[in-house]
Amino acid sequence: MSASSYPEISFEARMATVEFRIDEDRAHITVDDTICRDCSTRGCITACPANLFVPTAAGGILFNYEQCFECGTCYLVCNREGAITWTYPEGGHGVVFHRS
Amino acid sequence: MSDFDVVVVGAGPAGSAAAIELARAGRSVCLLERGPSPGSKNMYGGVVYGRILDTLVPAWWEQVPVQRWVTRRSTMLIHDEQALTVDFRNPGWGAAPFNGATTFRPDFDAWLAGVAVDAGAVLVCSTTATGLIREGGRVVGVRTDRPDGDLRAPVVIACDGVNSFLAKEAGMYPHTGAENFTVGVKETIALPREVIDERFAVRGDEGVDIEILGCTGDVPGGGFVYTNATSVAVGLVLSLPALAAGPDRPEELLRRLKAHPAVAPLVEGGEVLEYSAHVIPEAGYRMMPELVGDGILVAGDAAAMCLAAGIWLEGVNFAIGSGAAAGRAATRALARGDASAAGLAAYREMLESGFVLADHRRLRDAPHLVMGDLAQRGLPAVACGVMEDLFTVRNPEPKQGVRRIVRNRMRRNGIRVRDAVREGLRAVRTFG
Ligand SMILES: Cc1cc2nc3c(=O)[nH]c(=O)nc-3n(C[C@H](O)[C@H](O)[C@H](O)COP(=O)(O)OP(=O)(O)OC[C@H]3O[C@@H](n4cnc5c(N)ncnc54)[C@H](O)[C@@H]3O)c2cc1C
Ligand code: SF4
Ligand code: SF4
């Protein structure tokens, strides 16, 4: 496919277009990295649209809940019981869409 | 003691429609929403088909927040750098009662919730339902994350969207495998009104809806482009298991779509206003949960009622249709003083006799067909190849017959006539 004639935005700039009302007190999603260490599929890494699952050199996963769309993709693709603990943020917190 | 007659969880289109029906019937209804305002958590492609509102909000088109009225619908098949587009224009859709409107969900959902509030519903935002309250196996309310936040009511209507933790907690939702779901990602890109009018060849508040097949690489799915007043939405819908298998991430697949020669001239140059993502219950009828339990009804995406069938991507209308039916069924049950599953059973009958389950049952094989290899790869490749052969003038070579061209293109793409006929017949049975 031909290259487009304008520069593609960086992932950081892309995520900077989204408003997140971050709950500083509670992570609504947590990842048990010890379970991820024996995971061979690691679907969360490519599937999470916010790119929040970062593989570490030690074979684990570094996860940060702050810029999350609350979409559910990660827990749906993860087939390891207990790896992801998934809840919605407290009311009023988290992603806020304006033009979608 | 009950706090309300009904607690509706989720102020999306399903929840607001349910609340409108209940409030108008004189019932006390709490409409609970975890976002700071209705629609703030919601994204979609971009078109609401409003006719389902005819009875709920007469002359809805005079009040609904609209970006553009869709008067042009295209289906595009992409293969490598080629594209074949079937383009349909109908200026008639640009006047009442209209057909589809592009609108932003934070605007649309807030508007519909406002109709519910005007009818008497109590809208409570910034409050997440964290679980069901049950007594003797019967649902009698929800817990929330507010202090002393229990809300008791003889009927709970779960309109909490695709992840519906309430339906799951009630044990009504067995089909939670990733293969039933897709994830949608989208960019809203700012462009001046005149530029959109020119690129999409429309005027005034006319708008365009383009559905695209063959643009998602190795991941089964589809793409879309919609026009708003001063922005365009471009996005993809992607099968979860294939996306998880990698190697391409959603934004990389979206970048490729935006760079395609048939799409780039439409969307390039503008600033990205918002990036968004949301999951879709793709498998529709085949993944639907139980719809009725003791003290609980499930409606909209929470009941997998989104119709994702290739040329159709409709969920808001199905959410409104099912939510309204749930509201009416709950009203009836309360009047009889029986909120058990038996008392609420009219809900399913209403859906069966209306478009919600009729469309879903008829199109139950469509998601599978559209996500299959033949539709995803074979069809775009053969269609574009046939067009290339038909329209490339290879003089002094004479022209070939159409049948021969089709046969050659099928062979080159490894498609056996037998398989094509079988899938074709399935498609006729499904869509016909
Ligand atoms: C990429 C994409 C493109 C789409 N394109 C179209 C399209 O063009 N046209 C169309 O008609 N449909 C489209 N759809 C489908 C459509 O968006 C859905 O079918 C529709 O939104 C379903 O409405 P709903 O009310 O059932 O659920 P939702 O709209 O998801 O609303 C659920 C509400 O419940 C709230 N909620 C959830 N859990 C809780 C809780 N525990 N406590 C309190 N509140 C809660 C949420 O915040 C949300 O407001 C698309 C979907 C996607 C993802
Ligand atoms: S979150 Fe799940 S899919 Fe991702 S690495 Fe851990 S176990 Fe594997
Ligand atoms: S919910 Fe969606 S955005 Fe949030 S971490 Fe999971 S996959 Fe990523």
Side-chain angles (χ1 to χ4, degrees):
Chain A
M1 286 184 201
S2 76
S4 102
S5 59
Y6 64 102
E8 181 58 25
I9 71 172
S10 70
F11 197 78
E12 291 65 35
R14 173 186 295 283
M15 294 307 291
T17 65
V18 193
E19 183 188 352
F20 296 100
R21 300 190 184 165
I22 297 164
D23 185 343
E24 307 286 350
D25 300 329
R26 189 181 81 98
H28 64 285
I29 299 172
T30 54
V31 176
D32 183 348
D33 174 66
T34 56
I35 294 176
C36 299
R37 274 164 216 269
D38 345 287
C39 169
S40 54
T41 52
R42 306 190 140 235
C44 57
I45 299 173
T46 48
C48 168
N51 203 9
L52 296 178
F53 293 78
V54 180
T56 63
I61 290 284
L62 192 66
F63 177 80
N64 183 311
Y65 69 96
E66 291 180 358
Q67 297 204 318
C68 166
F69 290 119
E70 302 152 32
C71 67
T73 297
C74 52
Y75 83 81
L76 286 166
V77 302
C78 176
N79 43 25
R80 294 254 156 171
E81 192 74 36
I84 299 180
T85 307
W86 205 100
T87 62
Y88 285 124
E90 237 158 76
H93 292 283
V95 70
V96 176
F97 292 127
H98 298 276
R99 299 189 190 87
S100 296
Chain B
M1 245 326 269
S2 290
D3 302 293
F4 292 93
D5 290 330
V6 180
V7 174
V8 178
V9 180
S16 289
I20 290 170
E21 291 282 12
L22 285 156
R24 285 193 184 151
R27 290 293 165 181
S28 68
V29 49
C30 176
L31 180 58
L32 201 64
E33 170 56 48
R34 65 188 188 88
S37 58
S40 55
K41 298 287 183 186
N42 304 339
M43 71 76 85
Y44 76 143
V47 179
V48 169
Y49 299 94
R51 293 305 301 275
I52 183 64
L53 288 168
D54 284 358
T55 48
L56 219 51
V57 189
W60 50 272
W61 52 82
E62 290 169 7
Q63 346 170 356
V64 73
V66 174
Q67 293 286 326
R68 287 176 187 255
W69 296 105
V70 174
T71 57
R72 191 176 161 202
R73 274 198 74 152
S74 305
T75 300
M76 188 186 282
L77 301 177
I78 283 182
H79 173 64
D80 292 337
E81 59 175 21
Q82 302 179 336
L84 167 65
T85 306
V86 178
D87 181 26
F88 179 63
R89 267 179 196 271
N90 183 14
W93 288 339
F98 299 97
N99 186 41
T102 55
T103 169
F104 294 138
R105 292 295 298 282
D107 298 342
F108 180 83
D109 291 13
W111 167 75
L112 196 61
V115 175
V117 169
D118 289 344
V122 177
L123 172 67
V124 179
C125 291
S126 296
T127 305
T128 304
T130 51
L132 296 168
I133 306 173
R134 282 196 272 194
E135 269 167 19
R138 198 183 174 118
V139 175
V140 294
V142 296
R143 303 201 187 285
T144 76
D145 59 1
R146 292 275 184 108
D148 303 317
D150 286 6
L151 287 170
R152 298 178 81 89
V155 182
V156 170
I157 306 182
C159 301
D160 51 340
V162 58
N163 288 304
S164 190
F165 293 108
L166 295 186
K168 285 175 193 161
E169 189 186 334
M172 298 162 85
Y173 215 137
H175 309 288
T176 52
E179 66 283 1
N180 293 311
F181 299 89
T182 52
V183 62
V185 293
K186 138 176 158 175
E187 285 177 15
T188 307
I189 300 171
L191 285 172
R193 182 180 272 281
E194 316 76 66
V195 172
I196 294 173
D197 290 353
E198 222 166 89
R199 288 185 184 183
F200 291 86
V202 287
R203 302 219 167 104
D205 54 9
E206 291 176 340
V208 179
D209 160 340
I210 308 176
E211 310 291 340
I212 309 169
L213 213 55
C215 60
T216 48
D218 291 335
V219 181
F224 56 82
V225 177
Y226 299 113
T227 57
N228 298 312
T230 57
S231 63
V232 295
V234 53
L236 292 173
V237 170
L238 302 163
S239 148
L240 284 195
L243 190 61
D248 294 318
R249 290 191 35 81
E251 69 278 3
E252 166 58 19
L253 295 168
L254 185 54
R255 184 194 65 75
R256 287 184 211 160
L257 173 66
K258 284 169 62 191
H260 190 275
V263 176
L266 301 175
V267 304
E268 70 190 356
E271 175 201 356
V272 177
L273 294 174
E274 192 163 81
Y275 185 53
S276 53
H278 202 282
V279 163
I280 301 174
E282 181 81 18
Y285 194 74
R286 299 239 184 254
M287 69 182 291
M288 276 185 196
E290 283 170 52
L291 305 176
V292 183
D294 285 322
I296 184 168
L297 297 172
V298 188
D301 270 18
M305 282 166 186
C306 181
L307 184 71
I311 51 175
W312 294 296
L313 180 47
E314 302 175 20
V316 173
N317 48 336
F318 284 87
I320 294 171
S322 57
R328 290 196 301 275
T331 304
R332 240 193 250 183
L334 289 164
R336 292 200 197 125
D338 179 8
S340 69
L344 290 164
Y347 175 48
R348 190 166 182 113
E349 289 151 26
M350 289 177 197
L351 296 181
E352 301 265 5
S353 60
F355 77 104
V356 174
L357 284 183
D359 286 359
H360 267 290
R361 181 171 306 116
R362 168 202 282 260
L363 291 166
R364 62 190 178 275
D365 287 327
H368 193 72
L369 269 174
V370 172
M371 295 303 242
D373 217 37
L374 203 64
Q376 290 285 321
R377 291 173 192 280
L379 179 66
V382 172
C384 288
V386 167
M387 287 300 145
E388 183 183 352
D389 290 347
L390 271 180
F391 294 138
T392 307
V393 180
R394 294 198 171 87
N395 297 155
E397 256 180 62
K399 293 194 194 305
Q400 294 183 332
V402 176
R403 260 205 310 221
R404 171 132 177 241
I405 290 177
V406 173
R407 224 179 313 129
N408 280 342
R409 281 292 171 174
M410 282 177 57
R411 193 175 320 122
R412 275 170 63 177
N413 287 286
I415 297 169
R416 291 182 307 187
V417 175
R418 179 152 36 102
D419 296 337
V421 169
R422 197 194 52 228
E423 290 281 295
L425 285 175
R426 273 181 68 193
V428 168
R429 260 202 314 275
T430 300
F431 294 100

